[in-house]
Amino acid sequence: MTNGPTLLGIRHHGPGSARAVAAALAQLRPDAVLIEGPPEADALAALAGEKDLVPPVALLAHVVDDPGRAAFWPFAVFSPEWVALRYAVEHHIPVRFIDLPAAHTLAADAPAPGAPGAGPGEVHGPATDPIAALAEAAGHDDPERWWEDVVEHRAPGTDALAPFEAVAEAMAALREGVPTGRRDELREAYMRQQLRAARRAGHTRAAVVCGAWHVPALRDMPTAAHDKALLAGLPKKVRTEITWVPWTHRRLSQHTGYGAGIDSPGWYHHLFAAERDTVARWMTRVAELLRAEDHPVSSAHVIEAVRLADTLAAMRGRPLAGLTETLDAVRSVMCDGSDVALALVHDRLVVGDALGEVPDSAPAVPLQRDLARIQRSLRLKPEPTERELVLDLRRQLDADRSTLLHRLRLLGIDWGTPSRSAVNSTGTFRETWRLRWEPEFAVRVVEAAHWGTTVEDAATGRAVGEAAAATELAALTALAERCLLAALPAALPAVMRLLADRAALDTDVAHLAAALPALVRALRYGDVRGTDGAALAGVARGLAERICTGLPAACTGLDDDGANAMRSHLDAVHAAVGLLAAQNGRNDQDDRDDDPIAERWAGALHSLAIREPSAGPATGAPGLLRGRSVRLLLDDGRLDGEEAGRRLGLVLSPGGTPADAAGWIEGFLAGGGALLLHDTRLLALLDDWLTGVRPETFTDLLPVLRRTFSALEAGVRRTVGERVAAGPLGRPAAPAAEAAADLDQARADAALPALALLLGLPPATVRIPKQADRRAG
């Protein structure tokens, strides 16, 4: 073992393998450490000795000209590669990464090491799962449990190299007759070249830490010419950069994306960190978590859970209690059989929320450094757990935080996503965000770096680029709103110029209607942030005027789908016009009604409301839109209840079609049905019409009617039903006193003493009038 490299075959991210590697290195005292990983990371190896580089972390390699082509090599505290790296740095011996360069793997069509679904140098080959095969040979049906018993729970013995010899022998047997994939052939050929180079450099006692699957291929080395011929087929290198980035336990647990497929990284971390009393320490952590979540857990629960876990392990023939036994014990003793509480334990402890740290000395693009600086100044620390952040935009710190989050969203970095606050505030001074930092944001930061070297410059460049590429007017108005929210004054002129040009050429009222609300919202938010919205206001009012002019004609001859889409536009534009009028410096309701835009919009709604289909459906506006227009005018006080009832009566007259009438009713009641309770004449008209519809026609109308009335509030539906069932609807509902003619006077009087006590009144002052008195009154 001293005349050549010692091969330490490991399972990636395994605490037992990590402990075994530490013991083997202490026994070997090698003169160099060779680790499976991208050679470009050799220059970053020394950073592993800095206290500010805290796992979980990952090596990130990306193509300089195409940052989206990237790969990660994650490391945890319990990763054998990390243990080997730390050993080499602490003992000041050379350390090299010997896998295929990222410059080759990122140029190839095949996934790179660390790409979705792969850890750094997989332990398994393409055609077999060696762990499953070994477990089956040992008579076990659960490969993970078998590996945990044999390796992860095993303490290093007298000869720390013996386990690696056994694993190498097992892997050699498994590889016999199993075809090696092209990717593994290339990787192993390159690793063999690096072993030869280490020998030529005089490293006679090098230790090689690699996936156990590769050990046989590195031990029985073919000729150098053979490997050189294999590597001749490598794709041409691409220019790459590499650095350290923070990683998370949660990302390690994912089997897709840039995960490593470790089901229980938090548990593995505990196994590696707790050398003694592993189960007892774990149960103590579980108890602390459950207590923090208001679960009644005592010391006695901890003691009993440890006993149960040990008993289960003995009954199942396991050397020590594993994760299965500990979770079974936690469920039974601490969670009272509840899977809900157990899910909390699994999420917080078995998986965990650890987020690594990277020192400032690690290579980074200027945009990343600017983002880190802003995060520190705003006291917004990236965290792997989701948390709610409520901002008051009247405070400068919160306004700056909002600006940063909006700028990052423009760059495609959704660290924060807008959320609805538990406080139902309708003001514009409050913003609620849900924050959660994901490791892959590091790639998106690199991708965004070509737009600028600072967050503001990059967001500005990205906004201008999106505006130039936008093909729809609504996309441009939404972008203008986002620029205002992100406080990008340099981007807004370019966006507004394109927006004005596009708005002048677009004649589709639906497009204009879809674009207007975003502009008006931007004006509203601009007031909060103190920005100049004169240009936005001019474009918004121009759009509103064109919508008012073209609305009646645009609503003519629409089919059902077109009518439903236009109804949504009507509601959105109606709200936008109200805000636009308020933005014109008028705070009084009457003044807002006198605003020219509000007046023109009301005139457009009046024109739409009377656009009856005189010669068939294609000649007029659908009933859905006419009814909606009447309702909007009624709610604004521009129509009174009598006029609304008259128009409803005309629609429900025998001259109209039932389908048109049903659509009119749907549009009219879409804003809420409480007006039917206040104006029984409207309810009577509906009742008379419904009872007069022919049976075969009623069947056709039923889906529309069900949709209309199901959208009403539950209380309104119930009260409408009671009103209809009570009798004729042509007069106001009878007072409650008249409806209670059958009141049981004796039973009512029996409740009076208790009622007087609750009200704090003398019993004699509380009484129910007699029926004769009620009639007289």
Side-chain angles (χ1 to χ4, degrees):
M1 301 290 276
T2 59
N3 297 325
T6 301
L7 302 175
L8 305 178
I10 50 92
R11 189 186 192 193
H12 303 289
H13 312 301
S17 291
R19 281 195 298 269
V21 165
L25 292 175
Q27 178 177 319
L28 281 171
R29 303 183 66 183
D31 57 3
V33 174
L34 309 180
I35 302 173
E36 182 182 327
E40 291 92 342
D42 288 351
L44 303 178
L47 291 176
E50 295 193 15
K51 63 179 181 179
D52 292 334
L53 186 65
V54 181
V57 291
L59 289 168
L60 163 62
H62 65 88
V63 179
V64 173
D65 299 327
D66 186 8
R69 293 164 61 188
F72 291 95
W73 287 260
F75 298 86
V77 170
F78 49 83
S79 298
E81 300 93 337
W82 178 258
V83 170
L85 182 60
R86 290 278 299 180
Y87 177 89
V89 172
E90 290 173 357
H91 289 80
H92 306 288
I93 60 176
V95 58
R96 298 287 182 270
F97 291 93
I98 61 172
D99 205 348
L100 269 180
H104 284 306
T105 55
L106 291 175
D109 293 332
E122 298 161 323
V123 70
H124 53 81
T128 184
D129 180 356
I131 304 302
L134 292 174
E136 183 179 0
H140 289 256
D141 58 355
D142 188 338
E144 294 299 324
R145 174 186 278 185
W146 175 82
W147 181 263
E148 196 173 67
D149 288 347
V150 174
V151 177
E152 306 303 349
H153 287 164
R154 185 183 185 279
T158 305
D159 183 3
L161 301 179
F164 296 103
E165 289 293 330
V167 170
E169 182 180 353
M171 293 300 164
L174 287 173
R175 287 186 65 134
E176 291 180 1
V178 176
T180 303
R182 173 68 174 170
R183 177 181 163 214
D184 273 349
E185 285 183 351
L186 294 174
R187 294 175 62 198
E188 290 166 355
Y190 190 88
M191 285 191 273
R192 289 192 293 263
Q193 281 195 344
Q194 299 307 300
L195 297 188
R196 296 187 187 100
R199 189 180 295 116
R200 289 195 299 271
H203 299 306
T204 59
R205 294 184 294 107
V208 181
V209 179
C210 63
W213 180 260
H214 303 301
V215 169
L218 302 185
R219 173 171 290 178
D220 302 325
M221 298 180 68
T223 63
H226 173 271
D227 289 340
K228 184 177 180 181
L230 268 178
L231 295 173
L234 280 173
K236 185 179 179 180
K237 285 186 176 182
V238 292
R239 196 157 60 98
T240 60
E241 292 180 350
I242 194 167
T243 186
W244 289 105
V245 295
W247 208 248
T248 67
H249 276 176
R250 194 169 301 280
R251 183 60 67 189
L252 281 172
S253 70
Q254 295 186 358
H255 290 260
T256 58
Y258 290 111
I262 306 169
D263 293 327
S264 49
W267 168 252
Y268 273 13
H269 181 94
H270 178 77
L271 285 182
F272 183 75
E275 298 182 1
R276 298 181 297 104
D277 302 324
T278 304
V279 177
R281 294 173 183 269
W282 175 261
M283 294 300 184
T284 302
R285 293 181 61 199
V286 172
E288 291 175 352
L289 171 64
L290 293 177
R291 287 171 186 160
E293 297 295 329
D294 294 329
H295 290 271
V297 178
S298 65
S299 301
H301 286 92
V302 175
I303 296 171
E304 192 60 34
V306 172
R307 288 176 178 172
L308 179 56
D310 291 339
T311 302
L312 290 172
M315 293 175 61
R316 295 168 181 174
R318 306 192 66 180
L320 291 172
L323 181 60
T324 303
E325 286 70 35
T326 57
L327 291 182
D328 287 345
V330 167
R331 178 194 286 110
S332 298
V333 178
M334 297 186 183
C335 300
D336 296 325
S338 170
D339 286 334
V340 175
L342 187 67
L344 176 68
V345 174
H346 186 276
D347 182 68
R348 299 281 186 85
L349 296 183
V350 177
V351 175
D353 292 317
L355 174 65
E357 298 179 10
V358 173
D360 293 337
S361 55
V365 295
L367 179 60
Q368 174 63 57
R369 296 194 183 282
D370 185 59
L371 175 58
R373 177 189 62 79
I374 296 173
Q375 288 171 332
R376 287 194 296 269
S377 65
L378 298 181
R379 300 195 294 276
L380 273 180
K381 183 179 180 181
E383 296 175 345
T385 56
E386 185 178 277
R387 70 183 180 95
E388 185 177 82
L389 177 67
V390 180
L391 302 178
D392 183 346
L393 301 182
R394 294 168 294 186
R395 299 173 53 205
Q396 188 59 46
L397 177 62
D398 283 358
D400 291 342
R401 288 174 171 177
S402 172
T403 298
L404 173 63
L405 295 174
H406 281 295
R407 287 174 177 176
L408 291 178
R409 282 176 61 79
L410 262 173
L411 294 173
I413 304 170
D414 293 331
W415 176 23
T417 54
S419 174
R420 184 175 180 84
S421 173
V423 180
N424 291 322
S425 172
T426 57
T428 57
F429 294 107
R430 178 186 296 273
E431 277 187 358
T432 304
W433 296 80
R434 290 200 175 276
L435 302 185
R436 182 169 186 164
W437 186 264
E438 299 289 354
E440 58 265 30
F441 289 161
V443 175
R444 297 182 190 174
V445 171
V446 175
E447 287 180 305
H450 76 280
W451 293 109
T453 56
T454 66
V455 175
E456 181 176 359
D457 290 345
T460 298
R462 178 69 179 270
V464 174
E466 283 191 12
T471 58
E472 295 183 359
L473 183 60
L476 279 171
T477 57
L479 184 59
E481 179 185 14
R482 296 173 68 188
C483 287
L484 197 65
L485 294 173
L488 299 176
L492 206 52
V495 175
M496 290 305 304
R497 183 173 59 253
L498 291 168
L499 174 59
D501 293 344
R502 187 66 53 81
L505 298 175
D506 201 327
T507 59
D508 191 321
V509 172
H511 291 172
L512 300 176
L516 180 63
L519 277 182
V520 177
R521 286 196 305 269
L523 282 170
R524 188 184 187 208
Y525 291 131
D527 284 350
V528 179
R529 290 167 168 79
T531 56
D532 182 10
L536 281 175
V539 176
R541 298 184 77 84
L543 286 181
E545 290 178 357
R546 294 175 60 195
I547 292 171
C548 294
T549 301
L551 179 68
C555 294
T556 301
L558 295 178
D559 59 12
D560 290 344
D561 291 338
N564 279 310
M566 187 58 75
R567 194 198 88 180
S568 299
H569 291 319
L570 277 182
D571 289 341
V573 171
H574 185 74
V577 167
L579 289 174
L580 193 59
Q583 291 291 332
N584 202 27
R586 296 176 171 88
N587 297 319
D588 183 76
Q589 176 65 45
D590 294 335
D591 290 338
R592 287 201 301 269
D593 292 343
D594 293 338
D595 183 86
I597 290 297
E599 288 294 331
R600 293 202 61 183
W601 175 245
L605 292 178
H606 275 294
S607 298
L608 179 59
I610 62 175
R611 207 173 185 86
E612 304 283 345
S614 57
T619 63
L624 177 71
L625 300 181
R626 303 198 320 275
R628 191 70 194 134
S629 299
V630 171
R631 178 57 186 274
L632 294 176
L633 292 170
L634 178 64
D635 288 347
D636 269 6
R638 295 181 181 271
L639 279 182
D640 56 24
E642 182 177 353
E643 176 62 16
R646 187 185 71 81
R647 298 195 180 195
L648 175 59
L650 291 175
V651 171
L652 301 181
S653 66
T657 63
D660 184 70
W664 199 100
I665 294 168
E666 181 180 6
F668 184 71
L669 295 181
L675 57 87
L676 295 178
L677 305 181
H678 300 295
D679 191 340
T680 55
R681 193 166 60 88
L682 294 179
L683 183 56
L685 287 171
L686 285 179
D687 184 46
D688 291 341
W689 174 73
L690 276 176
T691 55
V693 173
R694 297 167 55 185
E696 59 272 16
T697 305
F698 182 81
T699 302
D700 295 335
L701 297 179
L702 189 57
V704 177
L705 296 173
R706 286 177 61 89
R707 182 173 67 236
T708 301
F709 283 94
S710 65
L712 302 182
E713 303 89 335
V716 171
R717 293 200 307 269
R718 182 176 62 254
T719 307
V720 166
E722 293 172 352
R723 292 276 179 89
V724 172
L729 292 168
R731 58 186 178 85
E738 295 184 17
D742 57 345
L743 177 67
D744 189 326
Q745 191 71 40
R747 295 179 64 187
D749 291 342
L752 294 182
L755 179 60
L757 181 62
L758 291 174
L759 296 176
L761 299 174
T765 63
V766 179
R767 68 185 187 87
I768 295 179
K770 304 298 182 182
Q771 184 171 340
D773 297 335
R774 291 197 301 272
R775 288 174 180 169

